[in-house]
Amino acid sequence: MFDQIFGGNKTVANWAAAMSNYTVSERIAVQRKPKIASPEKSALKKQKTEKAQDQASAEPANFLRELIKKDLSKGGRIHDRVGRTGDVVRTRFPPEPNGYLHIGHAKSICLNFGFAAEFGGRCHLRFDDTNPASEKQEYIDAIRSDVKWLGFDWGEHNYYASSYFDQLYTWAEYLITEGKAYVDSQTKEEARINRGTVTKKGKNSPFRDRSVEENLKLFREMRDGKHPEGAHMLRAKIDMGSANMNMRDPGLYRVLHKEHPHTGNKWCIYPIYDFAHGQEDAIEGITHSFCTLEFDQHRPLYDWFLDNLPIPGKEKCRPIQTEFAKLVLKDVVLSKRNLKVCVENKVVTGWDDPRMPTLCGLRRRGIPPAAIRRFCEDIGVTRNFSVVDTAKLDDVVREELDVNCERRFAALSPIKVTITDLPADFRQELKADNHPKNPSMGSRPIIFTPTIYIDHGDFMFDPPADYFRLKPNGEAMLRTCGIIIKVNEVVQDPTTKAVVELKCTHEKAGNRKVAGHIGWVSADDCVFVTANVYEPLFKVGVVNHEEEADADAEAGAEGEEEDAAEDEEKKLASHDEARQKVLKMVNENSIRAHKAVVEKNLATAAPETSFQFERLGYFVVDKNSTPDNIVFNRTITLRASGPEKDTGRSRKAEQEEQMRLKKLLEDLPASEMFKIQKDKYSKFDADGIPTHDAKGTELSKGAIKKLKKEAAKQTKRLALRLQRS
């Protein structure tokens, strides 16, 4: 029957015959039943999926790299440049020399110089020095030093916007003669009102229809210093009704009676950044102009200038601006004006303070440049705003230092240990490996004597059961020398009760194994140093990255105002309200200086040399360290938790404790979930939300807001669990 119905199609007929044995509901269930692939097919499919995922994760997303590849491909925008020696692509890193570079700039540096190297091109270092009011030679020198420290070299291609001032002036006059620019004599307030808002169109300036002759006369008088600052502004004549505020007759030149670091007093007028930027790219033959995302609203203006100026060669190789998302690190302040408040108010010792996110600060802290380069590559490049967890940078830093740092013994807060059953003149020379995984790094001699120092973290009076270091009547193995010491007497300061000495006996370990192994430094073969230990400069949770992103977007939408000649950073920093807001964000416990003891061989270590102090973290010799005042800065802890939180428990015990706390938190109501975390919080509001950290410091509004969100999620989780039960 089914053969006739389906015209001899036996496959369909057999299927229909099988289905006729089921009820309607059974047929639906059978048809919906997933196909069961053979184990071989399942394994093959899984293998293909995993391979695709591995390939996707192996190479971070970088749409800019793909863009360059497309431009160089056959039929691409710059395919004709393929084969050039050292000049296939041209990128540029164009900092304004008005401050020090920070970790956010590192992403742009690595991208532009990295692409140039990858595609056989060159990257220009160009200083956009269009604003002498805030630019200094100090900043120029610092920027050069930072870029070289990161591992990049511009060769002979170091340029300045000021080198093009004559050409930019000529093009400004060209726009005037073409009727596309005019001298505006409005006051700043009038110009601000007539410019409109993002929701309200602007109004034409009453000076917009000046004749070409009058505009040229006034502009040349501006050039010759015949008008005071703020009296006139040369503007492009575009469209005051444009939805893009950057296209509402943007400024081209303003009067500014300031001496320039490179041109001296030659000029009394200076170009606005937007007018200079694209033309500099065109003059230098830049093939790819990469900017951060806040400049996306500036791109139409970038293109307008290129369209309307007689720039030689622009038809053959016209620069294209492309925007990418800037680097934003969780809980790290990158605003230059906020960092400047810290410098000016002596919160830090300077721009290169190891707590600062500046590149010179990171260098002084001991962050390897290779780690920054690798981090910038690992995070990829997109157009989407995102906040990168600082832990990602920390992990890369640890990996770089672990491979390259020699090991040393040290004690941050030393406790004297006297081994009473050794002769007072006992000395034993030992060999300690400089790196446990790399024999090629060699070894060093260390001296074992009856009097040694250990770190205070290696002794506890009343430790938990799973603590495996020294305690009263407890024992531990001294690393390298194969000796077990046992505490027989604890000597305390009569006033403070602090432990000042442990009196111990010893025995050779032989085949004995003990759980606790500790570092030590001989009292006869050591040197006392200052060891600086750092915490974040700003309180955790106080940095509102979304607000900073909104401010960047707003700046990108509104463009550069005519009062750009004024130093906005100085203006904002001088406002007491803004200054107080920044200072309130500062973590007052961001540095602790320890009188530490280290191996004597470190007395001659060169500045900026890094070591791993075993169990204590990675430390670098400070650049200002001297033989009479040896200073080490801690770069990073060995683990994310840090040695200060290290209780001496086994890893298994720590994991069990974490699981216990996690399970406990799952069952607690929102009003109680934070109260049991006494190591984090000390005061709470009526709803159980923390208001102060464990040290009694008031939490920021941002931190409290996050905790309220956690509490709301907990309430929702418990409600869902109740419904299911």
Side-chain angles (χ1 to χ4, degrees):
M1 179 180 71
F2 290 108
D3 283 353
Q4 294 175 353
I5 294 174
F6 294 104
N9 189 327
K10 290 189 176 183
T11 301
V12 178
N14 291 338
W15 172 83
M19 288 295 102
S20 66
N21 297 320
Y22 296 96
T23 65
V24 173
S25 59
E26 288 173 336
R27 289 175 195 169
I28 294 172
V30 169
Q31 292 179 77
R32 286 182 176 174
K33 186 175 181 180
K35 293 181 179 179
I36 306 299
S38 66
E40 293 81 6
K41 287 185 178 180
S42 297
L44 182 61
K45 184 177 181 181
K46 182 180 179 182
Q47 187 177 6
K48 288 182 177 178
T49 302
E50 290 176 346
K51 185 177 180 180
Q53 291 174 342
D54 289 342
Q55 290 175 341
S57 59
E59 190 169 325
N62 191 325
F63 80 97
L64 296 181
R65 177 178 283 115
E66 300 307 313
L67 175 65
I68 296 175
K69 289 180 180 178
K70 180 181 177 181
D71 288 344
L72 291 172
S73 64
K74 190 173 182 179
R77 184 172 63 89
I78 56 170
H79 176 67
D80 62 324
R81 299 177 69 95
V82 174
R84 293 190 181 189
T85 302
D87 193 21
V88 178
V89 298
R90 289 188 193 178
T91 59
R92 85 287 178 272
F93 175 60
E96 183 181 358
N98 64 349
Y100 286 77
L101 300 181
H102 54 60
I103 182 68
H105 294 109
K107 181 177 180 180
S108 181
I109 295 171
C110 292
L111 283 176
N112 284 290
F113 280 95
F115 286 147
E118 180 179 348
F119 293 100
R122 72 193 201 200
C123 181
H124 296 182
L125 175 63
R126 182 207 305 147
F127 292 100
D128 268 316
D129 54 345
T130 59
N131 184 7
S134 59
E135 295 160 1
K136 298 178 182 178
Q137 186 63 39
E138 169 193 352
Y139 300 142
I140 292 173
D141 295 340
I143 290 170
R144 284 199 188 111
S145 176
D146 288 341
V147 173
K148 284 196 172 183
W149 172 72
L150 271 181
F152 301 109
D153 192 355
W154 52 89
E156 61 183 359
H157 302 292
N158 184 187
Y159 303 105
Y160 296 84
S162 54
S163 301
Y164 311 129
F165 280 177
D166 289 301
Q167 180 62 75
L168 292 171
Y169 176 84
T170 299
W171 282 335
E173 283 205 353
Y174 172 83
L175 290 176
I176 293 175
T177 59
E178 291 292 306
K180 295 178 179 179
Y182 65 97
V183 174
D184 186 12
S185 303
Q186 295 181 95
T187 65
K188 293 177 183 178
E189 183 63 18
E190 289 169 344
R192 185 188 65 78
I193 294 172
N194 288 334
R195 192 161 181 256
T197 66
V198 291
T199 58
K200 182 181 177 182
K201 291 183 179 182
K203 296 179 181 179
N204 287 347
S205 166
F207 305 98
R208 198 173 194 263
D209 296 323
R210 274 175 166 157
S211 67
V212 170
E213 292 73 21
E214 185 180 3
N215 282 320
L216 281 175
K217 178 178 178 294
L218 284 171
F219 187 48
R220 288 168 181 171
E221 289 176 354
M222 291 165 58
R223 176 198 63 190
D224 296 337
K226 294 180 179 180
H227 296 283
E229 294 182 11
H232 304 292
M233 163 75 69
L234 181 68
R235 293 184 176 280
K237 189 185 292 186
I238 305 180
D239 181 8
M240 289 301 292
S242 174
N244 185 337
M245 295 190 68
N246 294 294
M247 303 299 284
R248 296 182 187 177
D249 291 8
L252 305 182
Y253 268 89
R254 76 282 207 190
V255 178
L256 186 58
H257 297 284
K258 295 286 192 301
E259 184 175 354
H260 192 280
H262 277 91
T263 62
N265 293 308
K266 177 180 178 179
W267 296 94
C268 298
I269 55 172
Y270 291 94
I272 299 295
Y273 173 81
D274 273 339
F275 179 57
H277 178 212
Q279 285 56 263
E280 295 160 7
D281 287 345
I283 292 170
E284 295 176 15
I286 299 300
T287 60
H288 296 84
S289 179
F290 298 135
C291 302
T292 46
L293 205 55
E294 64 268 24
F295 287 97
D296 65 344
Q297 291 295 308
H298 293 246
R299 191 180 347 118
L301 182 57
Y302 182 98
D303 292 335
W304 188 91
F305 287 131
L306 293 176
D307 290 338
N308 288 277
L309 289 171
I311 302 173
K314 67 178 181 181
E315 294 80 10
K316 187 176 181 180
C317 184
R318 174 182 171 128
I320 301 292
Q321 177 177 301
T322 308
E323 304 82 24
F324 64 93
K326 65 168 57 178
L327 171 58
V328 180
L329 277 177
K330 183 180 180 183
D331 293 322
V332 176
V333 172
L334 297 180
S335 164
K336 260 193 283 190
R337 58 178 58 130
N338 289 346
L339 296 176
K340 195 167 188 176
V341 169
C342 294
V343 173
E344 291 177 344
N345 287 272
K346 310 298 183 184
V347 173
V348 293
T349 57
W351 288 99
D352 66 346
D353 188 295
R355 292 166 289 178
M356 293 280 276
T358 52
L359 292 183
C360 54
L362 297 176
R363 177 179 183 175
R364 191 172 178 184
R365 187 159 177 163
I367 302 294
I372 296 176
R373 295 196 302 269
R374 186 177 139 204
F375 168 69
C376 289
E377 179 65 27
D378 287 352
I379 60 176
V381 184
T382 70
R383 280 183 56 86
N384 301 319
F385 170 80
S386 62
V387 179
V388 180
D389 195 328
T390 314
K392 290 185 178 181
L393 174 60
D394 293 345
D395 289 343
V396 176
V397 170
R398 288 189 181 96
E399 289 174 12
E400 286 290 333
L401 291 173
D402 177 56
V403 172
N404 297 298
C405 285
E406 293 188 2
R407 274 49 171 174
R408 294 292 186 272
F409 290 136
L412 285 184
S413 300
I415 296 177
K416 181 181 177 182
V417 174
T418 302
I419 303 173
T420 57
D421 57 349
L422 280 176
D425 59 352
F426 178 84
R427 288 174 63 87
Q428 181 182 6
E429 184 171 311
L430 305 167
K431 289 287 184 182
D433 292 334
N434 286 329
H435 198 296
K437 303 174 186 176
N438 188 354
S440 68
M441 286 190 174
S443 61
R444 65 193 186 279
I446 57 175
I447 306 298
F448 177 61
T449 57
T451 303
I452 60 175
Y453 292 104
I454 66 170
D455 191 74
H456 80 289
D458 290 329
F459 174 81
M460 288 185 72
F461 244 124
D462 187 21
D466 52 4
Y467 181 84
F468 299 113
R469 297 175 197 154
L470 290 176
K471 55 188 176 182
N473 298 313
E475 59 184 19
M477 174 86 74
L478 297 180
R479 293 174 62 83
T480 302
C481 64
I483 287 177
I484 299 170
I485 60 172
K486 181 179 180 179
V487 178
N488 299 309
E489 182 182 350
V490 180
V491 181
Q492 295 176 273
D493 184 282
T495 304
T496 65
K497 302 301 180 182
V499 177
V500 295
E501 184 181 5
L502 302 177
K503 294 187 177 181
C504 304
T505 52
H506 85 289
E507 64 173 288
K508 292 185 177 180
N511 294 324
R512 275 192 65 195
K513 293 184 178 180
V514 294
H517 291 240
I518 62 176
W520 54 276
V521 181
S522 168
D524 295 340
D525 191 39
C526 70
V527 60
F528 281 87
V529 303
T530 298
N532 295 316
V533 173
Y534 302 104
E535 298 295 338
L537 179 58
F538 291 90
K539 298 171 185 174
V540 175
V542 301
V543 185
N544 190 325
H545 297 295
E546 291 181 358
E547 277 186 8
E548 289 189 345
D550 290 342
D552 287 339
E554 184 179 345
E558 294 184 358
E560 188 173 24
E561 283 287 356
E562 55 271 16
D563 59 353
E566 298 181 23
D567 188 341
E568 292 295 335
E569 292 178 1
K570 287 184 179 178
K571 285 196 333 182
L572 185 57
S574 66
H575 295 166
D576 187 63
E577 182 180 354
R579 182 167 59 249
Q580 291 303 322
K581 180 180 179 182
V582 173
L583 296 177
K584 192 175 181 181
M585 296 164 60
V586 170
N587 174 17
E588 296 177 355
N589 301 307
S590 60
I591 180 172
R592 296 190 307 280
H594 294 264
K595 187 179 180 182
V597 62
V598 300
E599 294 180 29
K600 193 173 184 177
N601 54 66
L602 291 177
T604 56
E608 298 191 0
T609 306
S610 294
F611 298 91
Q612 184 196 102
F613 289 176
E614 296 203 18
R615 202 187 67 78
L616 300 175
Y618 294 98
F619 287 75
V620 66
V621 184
D622 188 78
K623 70 173 189 176
N624 294 328
S625 181
T626 65
D628 296 329
N629 181 29
I630 302 172
V631 179
F632 281 87
N633 301 322
R634 188 167 72 181
T635 306
I636 199 167
T637 57
L638 298 183
R639 294 185 297 163
S641 59
E644 271 66 42
K645 297 180 181 179
D646 187 357
T647 62
R649 298 174 181 172
S650 67
R651 184 171 179 81
K652 181 179 178 182
E654 288 181 353
Q655 291 173 341
E656 289 175 350
E657 175 63 19
Q658 291 172 2
M659 290 300 295
R660 184 192 70 80
L661 180 60
K662 183 178 179 181
K663 181 65 177 175
L664 182 60
L665 289 173
E666 286 178 355
D667 299 327
L668 285 176
S671 59
E672 299 295 327
M673 64 181 291
F674 298 112
K675 291 182 178 179
I676 66 166
Q677 301 179 53
K678 295 180 180 179
D679 60 328
K680 293 183 178 181
Y681 312 113
S682 59
K683 293 183 181 180
F684 310 85
D685 65 14
D687 298 320
I689 305 298
T691 58
H692 294 71
D693 65 17
K695 297 178 181 178
T697 303
E698 185 177 358
L699 298 177
S700 68
K701 291 181 180 179
I704 293 174
K705 185 177 180 180
K706 288 181 181 179
L707 293 171
K708 286 182 177 179
K709 287 183 179 180
E710 287 184 35
K713 288 180 181 179
Q714 179 75 349
T715 300
K716 188 175 181 180
R717 277 195 296 266
L718 294 177
L720 287 173
R721 188 188 301 176
L722 185 62
Q723 289 176 5
R724 290 169 184 164
S725 62

